[in-house]
Amino acid sequence: VLTLRMENKKALKQVQTAQAVQLQGEFAGHPAKGLSPERLSVILEQAEQGYLVAQAELFMDMEEKDGHIQAEMHKRKMAVVGLDWHLQPPTEASEAEKQATAKLEARIRDMLDVEDMLFDALDALGHGYSCLELDWQQDALGWFPELMHRTPRWFTQDPTQPNALRLRTSSLHGEPLRDLGWIVHIHKSRSGHLSRTGLHRSLAWPYLFKNYSVRDLAELLEIYGLPIKVGKYSRGATAEEKQTLMQAVIGIGHNAGGIIPDSMQMDFITATASGGSDPFKAMIDWCESTQSKVILGNGLSTMDSKGGSQALGTVHNEVRLDIRNSDARQLASTLSGYLVYPIAMLNGLFANDRCPKWVFDTQEADDLALYADALPKLAEAGAEIPLRYINDKLKIPAREKDEPILAIPAASGGLAAASSRLQKFTKDQQAIEALADNMPLHSPIATEAIKSAIAAASSPEDLEQRLAVVMQGADMTEFSAQLEKALFAADIMGYAHAD
């Protein structure tokens, strides 16, 4: 199959939809207008039979008209769009394959608006599918596509193949999508046929119920939200006087002011509804909470005024990360097969069907303070911990060749002053050695007697007693000064020869 594709490269220069002129001139039907439970049931059943147009148009209307659905879907899309990504070379890649992978990744970053591509592909979250057409161009660097998102209403299905999309044409069930001509992202929010896997299938009914509640609430406010104005005229008033009173009632309602004769009266009657607005608001809140649970896995988005515990937020955040990671894995698989592979094969970058993979970085950085405390202890206990493991866990990239690294001089316990003085000499090796050579490393005290006391001591207490005898009558001020100099010289030499 790949050989046939390569032999027909010329056919790739014309997009498949160029011949589908009728699709370009179609206007959306907007089935959300006047939507009823009966009509919604028909639309969903038609989609199961392969007719996706009405369902796709309804789903687009839902995102356009329902601000809550739009906001929550945008959050879920941007969670993936904001991830870092890279191309991973094939398994056990050679040096040439690694270089080809880096070259291919660099060209994708330069030539494509990756964020727009990811955002358009993630339209499959709601519809179950999203199609981006590849318009292949050839230049001095080889073949590379331009991407064009095609509206979901342009596609249909053959009832005998419920999981395969087809482009709508004049034929009954359309025509198959051209090889190497499309990025087709099929997102599985649940198992089943393609027409039933989109999230909007679960959102359609809450959307409908919410619309009813909003409409009823608006009607309640229209009827009972404004006071009723009643004008009273005296018995025997003429038609002209009645008309004058009517104009006054209308004018006062709009202009907040007016005049009427003394013989006429005007009363403002406040109307009240026995049920109030609470039932409608409760239904709206339930619908939006359900929508948030379907899209994000939790209902915290509808708890703005109610708040929530930190523990609850933490659990919900973990659920959100699971959803994001699943979305990223599905999308990465699609891009590996429908974008990276065709570019690599058409340009002959890899042989034997070996090809890099698109990978999203979904790992969260672990607690740096926790590792900083635990790793030294584990290393001292004999644990063999590769540096690569630490870099991966803390999301610290491996050092490139000759790349500067962060270095902080280590303080040596009580010799902090020595460490600060050491920095003055680190650039001059000769100065360090001269300082050490001229530093007296012994005191006037008889060092041989001290060595003998140390050798003969059987315990720290015994040593203390022996040293007290040896040091009796010695100048302790001079001894302390000489000892400090000796420790300082040893510290400097240790730093100088650390490598």
Side-chain angles (χ1 to χ4, degrees):
V1 176
L2 181 61
T3 303
L4 294 176
R5 293 174 180 172
M6 302 294 282
E7 292 175 351
N8 292 279
K9 288 183 178 180
K10 294 182 179 180
L12 298 177
K13 293 187 176 181
Q14 185 178 29
V15 296
Q16 185 176 6
T17 56
Q19 305 299 324
V21 182
Q22 79 283 356
L23 296 178
Q24 309 285 347
E26 282 186 352
F27 294 96
H30 297 292
K33 183 179 181 180
L35 185 65
S36 65
E38 294 79 10
R39 175 59 179 154
L40 177 56
S41 297
V42 171
I43 291 174
L44 299 180
E45 290 175 3
Q46 287 178 341
E48 296 176 27
Q49 298 168 6
Y51 183 73
L52 303 177
V53 177
Q55 177 173 276
E57 291 177 340
L58 172 62
F59 291 169
M60 288 188 287
D61 283 350
M62 287 166 53
E63 281 200 61
E64 179 180 325
K65 294 183 176 182
D66 193 316
H68 190 75
I69 292 179
Q70 160 63 20
E72 302 292 68
M73 291 297 296
H74 187 75
K75 290 178 189 176
R76 183 156 173 180
K77 291 179 182 179
M78 296 310 296
V80 178
V81 173
L83 291 174
D84 292 331
W85 63 273
H86 66 276
L87 296 187
Q88 179 178 304
T91 305
E92 299 181 356
S94 64
E95 187 61 31
E97 289 177 326
K98 293 179 181 178
Q99 293 178 1
T101 300
K103 178 181 178 182
L104 179 56
E105 179 179 332
R107 191 161 191 213
I108 290 176
R109 292 185 183 276
D110 290 341
M111 300 294 291
L112 290 182
D113 189 334
V114 176
E115 288 191 5
D116 281 357
M117 175 187 70
L118 300 180
F119 188 85
D120 290 337
L122 288 169
D123 202 36
L125 291 172
H127 292 268
Y129 62 91
S130 180
C131 300
L132 285 73
E133 192 166 17
L134 304 179
D135 184 6
W136 290 96
Q137 307 293 327
Q138 189 175 19
D139 55 23
L141 298 178
W143 291 82
F144 204 83
E146 294 181 3
L147 305 182
M148 297 166 290
H149 178 254
R150 300 308 189 190
T151 175
R153 62 188 302 275
W154 280 16
F155 302 92
T156 187
Q157 290 180 296
D158 185 337
T160 62
Q161 296 177 316
N163 289 322
L165 285 174
R166 301 170 70 90
L167 183 67
R168 286 174 50 219
T169 61
S170 56
S171 61
L172 178 60
H173 298 302
E175 62 183 51
L177 300 182
R178 181 185 298 169
D179 291 333
L180 299 184
W182 298 87
I183 296 177
V184 183
H185 180 44
I186 307 297
H187 185 86
K188 296 193 69 173
S189 298
R190 66 179 67 84
S191 300
H193 291 168
L194 175 60
S195 61
R196 304 185 65 179
T197 57
L199 291 178
H200 287 330
R201 291 276 297 200
S202 299
L203 299 174
W205 291 106
Y207 166 81
L208 177 62
F209 300 149
K210 179 181 173 182
N211 273 356
Y212 276 125
S213 297
V214 171
R215 184 196 65 185
D216 293 342
L217 179 58
E219 186 175 355
L220 175 74
L221 295 176
E222 182 179 5
I223 296 175
Y224 297 100
L226 297 175
I228 300 174
K229 302 179 291 293
V230 178
K232 298 180 179 180
Y233 54 85
S234 60
R235 184 174 299 179
T238 64
E240 183 179 356
E241 289 174 336
K242 295 177 182 178
Q243 183 63 31
T244 300
L245 179 59
M246 176 59 74
Q247 292 177 354
V249 170
I250 296 175
I252 289 176
H254 289 281
N255 303 322
I259 59 174
I260 59 175
D262 289 340
S263 59
M264 299 179 181
Q265 298 179 6
M266 185 175 299
D267 295 333
F268 291 85
I269 303 175
T270 301
T272 58
S274 59
S277 61
D278 290 344
F280 305 107
K281 293 172 64 177
M283 175 60 79
I284 293 173
D285 290 343
W286 175 86
C287 292
E288 292 190 344
S289 177
T290 301
Q291 291 169 350
S292 293
K293 292 174 183 176
V294 170
I295 300 172
L296 300 180
N298 65 73
L300 284 183
S301 296
T302 58
M303 296 175 61
D304 296 337
S305 60
K306 302 175 184 178
S309 67
Q310 181 178 357
L312 181 63
T314 301
V315 172
H316 285 176
N317 184 62
E318 293 175 356
V319 174
R320 181 189 64 83
L321 292 179
D322 290 341
I323 294 174
R324 182 204 65 182
N325 295 346
S326 175
D327 294 344
R329 284 193 295 269
Q330 293 189 52
L331 183 55
S333 177
T334 295
L335 295 177
S336 298
Y338 285 91
L339 178 66
V340 177
Y341 181 81
I343 298 175
M345 293 299 107
L346 286 174
N347 291 287
L349 298 178
F350 296 85
N352 301 323
D353 284 353
R354 288 173 60 81
C355 185
K357 297 189 299 182
W358 188 293
V359 177
F360 285 104
D361 183 7
T362 58
Q363 180 182 351
E364 296 292 315
D366 286 341
D367 188 344
L368 183 60
L370 177 64
Y371 276 78
D373 179 65
L375 289 175
K377 297 177 181 177
L378 291 173
E380 291 178 2
E384 298 180 355
I385 307 174
L387 291 178
R388 174 176 51 82
Y389 169 83
I390 300 173
N391 287 1
D392 289 343
K393 285 295 183 182
L394 301 181
K395 297 199 69 175
I396 300 175
R399 179 189 181 188
E400 299 291 340
K401 184 178 181 181
D402 299 329
E403 184 178 12
I405 62 173
L406 178 65
I408 301 177
S412 56
L415 297 178
S419 299
S420 63
R421 292 178 62 188
L422 171 64
Q423 299 176 9
K424 301 178 181 179
F425 300 96
T426 54
K427 296 182 180 180
D428 190 346
Q429 184 72 16
Q430 293 181 352
I432 296 175
E433 295 178 355
L435 177 67
D437 291 340
N438 296 327
M439 185 73 68
L441 300 181
H442 61 277
S443 73
I445 308 299
T447 56
E448 293 300 328
I450 296 176
K451 291 181 180 179
S452 299
I454 294 175
S458 59
S459 66
E461 293 77 9
D462 184 22
L463 175 61
E464 184 178 357
Q465 294 176 359
R466 292 175 182 272
L467 287 178
V469 174
V470 173
M471 302 297 294
Q472 186 174 8
D475 186 352
M476 298 305 298
T477 302
E478 177 66 17
F479 178 76
S480 299
Q482 293 295 334
L483 182 61
E484 181 181 357
K485 292 178 181 179
L487 292 174
F488 175 60
D491 186 52
I492 289 178
M493 292 306 295
Y495 278 114
H497 300 286
D499 295 334

